[in-house]
Amino acid sequence: MAKLNENKFVVKAKEIWKKHKIIVSVVGGLILILGFFGIREASLVDPLDGVEQVAWNSYTESWIIPDSERDQIASKMRIAIFKKYGASNQTIKYFQNNPKWCYDSEDYQVARSDIGDDKMSKAIDELNYVKSELKLAHDNGNKLILKIDIPQERAYKDGIRLTNREFKTD
């Protein structure tokens, strides 16, 4: 303990603490708050991450998101929302291994037994809302913009990071 008291850094820190307790406390609190928000931001899921392409559907004469891409987007949305409701790692792993745009009641059995019926119906309602707001819009010129068109606050609550993906149409 005597060696610790002789350390120049410790001695200097004690001097600063004696003179500036309030300032040091406020600065320390700000650092903790910034760290908390940084961790929260890092935990948000970007469902559109990894979307590589859109496709032209000659039958409907419109641009579409290919099924494999839509399945991955829905899977990431599902994972973010079910994490919010306390889904276990086993359930999350199941969603990752079974990406689909639409799940039926059998597909949700793992999640239902994990989080219960009440949370399950709330999570499915939120998921359906977020999926319904997936938009592929034509920008002026030769660009398509893929986005999830929900309010930022709602996305943040659901653990979703809102980003846009742009694709060239020429």
Side-chain angles (χ1 to χ4, degrees):
M1 189 68 175
K3 255 189 170 177
L4 188 63
N5 288 334
E6 293 174 13
N7 186 326
K8 291 179 184 178
F9 177 75
V10 172
V11 171
K12 187 69 173 170
K14 284 182 179 181
E15 288 175 14
I16 292 172
W17 177 252
K18 284 180 188 176
K19 293 179 184 176
H20 307 288
K21 287 181 182 177
I22 294 173
I23 294 171
V24 170
S25 297
V26 169
V27 169
L30 288 173
I31 290 171
L32 284 174
I33 289 171
L34 290 174
F36 172 74
F37 286 118
I39 291 170
R40 172 69 178 140
E41 185 67 27
S43 69
L44 296 177
V45 174
D46 179 6
L48 303 181
D49 185 36
V51 175
E52 299 292 326
Q53 62 183 348
V54 293
W56 178 255
N57 183 335
S58 59
Y59 182 72
T60 62
E61 294 189 0
S62 62
W63 290 95
I64 61 168
I65 305 163
D67 289 344
S68 61
E69 302 278 359
R70 282 184 358 145
D71 293 347
Q72 290 301 322
I73 292 168
S75 179
K76 291 175 185 175
M77 290 176 181
R78 192 172 286 115
I79 288 167
I81 291 171
F82 276 81
K83 274 185 182 178
K84 171 184 163 185
Y85 284 99
S88 68
N89 288 336
Q90 177 184 356
T91 301
I92 300 304
K93 190 73 166 167
Y94 176 78
F95 290 152
Q96 288 171 338
N97 293 338
N98 299 296
K100 292 185 198 175
W101 180 253
C102 291
Y103 270 26
D104 58 23
S105 59
E106 283 183 33
D107 293 321
Y108 279 124
Q109 278 305 106
V110 173
R112 181 171 278 110
S113 64
D114 186 19
I115 64 173
D117 288 334
D118 186 43
K119 288 182 179 178
M120 182 74 184
S121 63
K122 289 179 184 176
I124 290 173
D125 289 344
E126 284 185 36
L127 176 63
N128 288 337
Y129 168 73
V130 174
K131 285 182 1 181
S132 72
E133 296 302 317
L134 181 65
K135 308 285 186 209
L136 185 59
H138 220 300
D139 191 19
N140 293 339
N142 57 354
K143 271 195 301 191
L144 287 173
I145 298 176
L146 178 63
K147 64 182 176 177
I148 301 171
D149 196 17
I150 61 175
Q152 182 68 43
E153 301 82 35
R154 172 91 187 242
Y156 190 75
K157 284 182 190 175
D158 288 339
I160 294 173
R161 178 180 294 125
L162 294 180
T163 58
N164 294 342
R165 293 285 179 264
E166 293 183 5
F167 302 94
K168 297 227 183 255
T169 59
D170 47 341

